[in-house]
Each structure stands twice: as C-alpha cells, then as structure tokens.
Amino acid sequence: MKALRCFCFSVCALLLLEESSGFRDLRRPENVSVDSLNTRYVLRWDWPHETAANQTVTFTAQYLREFRSRKASNEKYWTSVCVSVLEHRCDFTGAIHYKISFLLRVWANTSQQSSGWVQISFCPDEHAALGPPSSLKLSSIKGDLEIIITDPLSSTNQSMKTLLNDRLSYLIQYWRRSAEPQKAKFLETKNNLVILTELDRQTWYCVRVQSRDGSHNKSSIFSDTPCTRTEGQMPYWQIFLYFLISLLLCFLLVLLNFCFYKMFTLLKNTFCPAIQLPDHIQELWLSDSEKPQLLAPESPESVCELLVMVSAELDAVAVDEHSNAEEQDSSTHSRHCSGDSGVYSTEEDTGHRSDLQMSSRKHREELHDGTLLELCA
C-alpha cells in the first residue's frame, strides 16, 4: 500500500512538471516512416501544424537497438543522428546495421515548447526494399543469349549477396521484341551468368531481371530492358523473301531509270531539237539590229529573189564548141586562103561566132528559168 502511494505520487509529480514546462503543448510529427533501399535508410515525417510566428520548429531523431528497449533505464542508450534540424527527414544510412532490429524516434521542439516522441520499429533485413541488379549485359553467342547480371549494391558499393548470402536470386523475363511482354518466358536462377538456349535464329529478344529475397518474400522492380539479336543461319523462307524484295527493288529502279530517260529525251527534243538552223539565219535571229519577221502569204514574190546560177558544165560546153568552131574556121580558111579574099573569111567567122553566142545564151536562159522555178516552188 505504501509502495502504491509512492508510485501515484511520482506520476502526479511528473505530470505537474510536464504541465509547468509546456511539454505537451507542441503537436507531434505525423506519418513517420522509413524510405529504404538496400542499405540506404532515410526517416521521414510530416508536421503540418501551425506555431507562433516568432517560433521555429526543429526536429531531433534518434535510434536504439530493440533488445535494449526492454531495460528500465534505456534512455541513456538512445543515439541521436539528427539534432534540431529543419528538414522533415533524417538519414540513418551507415548508422544502423542490416540484420539488427532498431527503434527509431523523432520529436519536434521550439525554443519554448517540445512535443512527445513518435517511435517506430525498423529492421532493414525485413523491412528495407531490395533493389534491382545494378547492371545487366546481354550478348549473342552462336545463336544463344548470354546474360551477365551484376548484384545490387549497398551504400558502400558492396554486393548485397554478402548480406543476403544464398537468399538472393533473380527472376529473368525474356520475350521477342515484336511480341508483348505479357507473353514473356520466365527463368529463376541464383547465378550471375545465364545462357538462354532454344531461341529462334536471327531474331530480336528483350530481357529484364528482377532481384528476389525468398526468406522475406521481397522482390525488386525490374531492371532496364536491353535487346539484342541472335546469330545463326537465316531461315530459307526469309532468304527467299529477301530475294523477292531485292528483285522488286531492281525492277523498280530499272523502270524509274527508263522513265527518266524517256522524259529527258522528250524534253531535249522539244527544247533543243537535233536539226539546227543555218548559220546565217541564226546570226540574223540573234542580231539586235534586224529581227526576222514572218512574211505574209499574200506576197509570194517577196519570198523569192532572183537567183542567177551559171553552170560550170554549160561553160565547158560553150568553150568546147568555140574551140571546135575555131578549128573548123582555120581549116576552111586554109582551104580557101589561096583564092578568097580576107573579107569573106572575116564575115563567115563573125557570123559563126554570133550563132554560137546566141545558142549559148538561149541555153543559159532556159537553165536560169528552170532553176528559178525550182527555187520559187
């Protein structure tokens, strides 16, 4: 009975002390949780309450090994990580061990007031999220796919396999790139080097990997998705298809060249004909002083000009006739030179020459008329 009275007296004194110091006046932080990945742990909380304008609210976060919390005087074992910080977070990375359970707590305080502690239990091995593989390499070897998986890394860049031992495994998901990921195939393994066999040749495949902890049923998000094509001999139907496509492309190329050649020839014959005008007409056409003009069809005489042509053959005939006449005259003159006077010889020679000139002139006029008619026609 005496002990009970002492306990009640102590509780009442403590309550009076808390009331006098304003310990219960400040609201506590809310939504306290741990944002964790592998061995990175960040304690987060919310504090949406209002305070006086001249007061600044700060926060203090501590941790304690859970087995020490059973002791009565455990207050001295609490270790502060963040003291009077303004942020609503505290990084516990490196302060707590992966396979040990801890108690984490946080409170809010000002220069005049303080709130109560908000405490949660946290065990990284059980509660921390597991990350995907840190890297994934995919390569094709003789028609198969070789997958090299790098373990998830801790905050000190060590493999998580050193902490999880044989519990770390990988779920491999692979599928054709043309198909949907829902139709993918799965393979679970603990090895970091995996070879996928029985794949189609000359086909693109995509792969992604997920980390798993079987003891606590933890799974990571999937890694990035690299894709590569398998090697090997191409199927016959694909070879035949490529052959048909190449023939079609060659035919289209030849047809295009033929059409281009025909069009080029047509344009060339239209704008640059093969038959050229005579040089004197081109000079007349290009002359600035005189431009060619079309003549009216009503004046055909203006189209034709008098063209006199003298044939070299006609001149040769005339010369031959003249030479023959001179020979005849000379022979005649030689026969009659003894009895005839020079007057008769001269008259006959003159008359013969006159007849020869008349016949030559007539022949030239006939040739001139025929040529003129041909030119006018």
Side-chain angles (χ1 to χ4, degrees):
M1 188 70 180
K2 186 176 180 180
L4 181 60
R5 288 178 181 177
C6 292
F7 178 75
C8 292
F9 177 77
S10 299
V11 171
C12 292
L14 182 61
L15 292 176
L16 290 175
L17 180 63
E18 290 178 354
E19 290 292 338
S20 61
S21 61
F23 184 78
R24 296 293 182 183
D25 292 343
L26 197 61
R27 303 288 295 271
R28 296 182 180 185
E30 299 178 357
N31 302 325
V32 180
S33 62
V34 179
D35 185 6
S36 61
L37 180 65
N38 295 336
T39 59
R40 295 174 177 85
Y41 323 112
V42 179
L43 183 68
R44 300 182 184 276
W45 60 87
D46 296 331
W47 202 84
H49 312 295
E50 296 181 359
T51 57
N54 57 352
Q55 292 183 349
T56 301
V57 179
T58 60
F59 303 93
T60 300
Q62 300 175 341
Y63 73 93
L64 174 70
R65 292 194 177 189
E66 191 172 5
F67 72 92
R68 288 181 176 176
S69 64
R70 301 183 184 96
K71 298 181 179 181
S73 59
N74 59 15
E75 195 68 27
K76 61 180 179 180
Y77 296 107
W78 285 94
T79 303
S80 298
V81 178
C82 299
V83 179
S84 300
V85 295
L86 298 175
E87 297 84 2
H88 297 172
R89 60 185 298 275
C90 182
D91 191 355
F92 283 81
T93 301
I96 58 180
H97 195 269
Y98 189 77
K99 292 187 176 181
I100 300 177
S101 296
F102 291 88
L103 294 178
L104 308 180
R105 67 181 186 178
V106 60
W107 74 341
N109 56 4
T110 62
S111 59
Q112 300 177 358
Q113 297 174 323
S114 298
S115 71
W117 291 99
V118 179
Q119 179 178 294
I120 62 172
S121 177
F122 177 71
C123 178
D125 189 20
E126 182 179 357
H127 301 127
L130 182 62
S134 57
S135 68
L136 182 65
K137 295 182 180 179
L138 186 63
S139 59
S140 176
I141 301 178
K142 296 182 180 180
D144 300 330
L145 288 182
E146 181 184 71
I147 304 174
I148 301 177
I149 304 172
T150 305
D151 298 328
L153 300 178
S154 64
S155 58
T156 58
N157 291 328
Q158 294 181 353
S159 172
M160 288 297 296
K161 191 173 287 186
T162 59
L163 299 174
L164 298 175
N165 298 326
D166 294 335
R167 294 155 38 191
L168 181 62
S169 63
Y170 300 103
L171 180 66
I172 301 175
Q173 185 181 20
Y174 62 97
W175 67 95
R176 289 186 179 183
R177 191 168 66 173
S178 58
E180 297 179 358
Q182 290 77 8
K183 299 180 180 180
K185 297 181 180 180
F186 295 90
L187 176 64
E188 189 168 0
T189 181
K190 292 184 178 181
N191 300 324
N192 294 92
L193 176 62
V194 180
I195 297 179
L196 300 179
T197 59
E198 298 180 358
L199 303 176
D200 295 334
R201 307 296 183 180
Q202 299 291 333
T203 305
W204 283 88
Y205 282 91
C206 298
V207 179
R208 62 182 183 179
V209 182
Q210 182 186 56
S211 302
R212 286 192 167 188
D213 182 4
S215 61
H216 296 291
N217 197 20
K218 292 192 298 184
S219 299
S220 71
I221 60 174
F222 279 99
S223 64
D224 296 334
T225 307
C227 298
T228 188
R229 188 177 66 174
T230 57
E231 298 177 355
Q233 185 178 2
M234 188 178 300
Y236 292 107
W237 66 268
Q238 196 170 1
I239 297 175
F240 182 71
L241 179 61
Y242 289 161
F243 177 72
L244 291 181
I245 293 175
S246 61
L247 284 181
L248 180 60
L249 292 178
C250 292
F251 174 75
L252 293 178
L253 183 61
V254 171
L255 182 61
L256 182 62
N257 290 335
F258 179 76
C259 294
F260 178 77
Y261 173 75
K262 285 296 184 182
M263 183 174 295
F264 176 77
T265 305
L266 179 61
L267 294 176
K268 181 180 179 182
N269 294 335
T270 302
F271 296 100
C272 298
I275 302 176
Q276 301 292 335
L277 295 174
D279 295 338
H280 64 281
I281 297 181
Q282 292 185 6
E283 293 177 358
L284 182 62
W285 181 267
L286 298 176
S287 178
D288 295 334
S289 59
E290 297 182 2
K291 294 295 183 180
Q293 297 180 358
L294 296 178
L295 299 177
E298 291 80 5
S299 57
E301 64 277 6
S302 60
V303 179
C304 302
E305 294 181 1
L306 183 60
L307 179 63
V308 178
M309 297 182 63
V310 178
S311 176
E313 181 180 1
L314 180 59
D315 293 339
V317 172
V319 171
D320 292 339
E321 292 178 356
H322 179 69
S323 61
N324 293 332
E326 288 182 350
E327 291 178 357
Q328 292 178 3
D329 291 341
S330 61
S331 60
T332 304
H333 179 72
S334 62
R335 286 196 304 264
H336 297 281
C337 62
S338 57
D340 296 333
S341 63
V343 177
Y344 295 102
S345 177
T346 303
E347 290 177 358
E348 290 178 359
D349 187 30
T350 303
H352 182 73
R353 290 182 180 179
S354 300
D355 295 338
L356 182 60
Q357 291 178 357
M358 289 295 293
S359 62
S360 176
R361 187 179 302 168
K362 184 178 181 180
H363 182 71
R364 290 180 180 178
E365 290 178 357
E366 291 177 358
L367 183 61
H368 173 264
D369 295 339
T371 305
L372 183 61
L373 291 176
E374 290 179 358
L375 289 176
C376 294

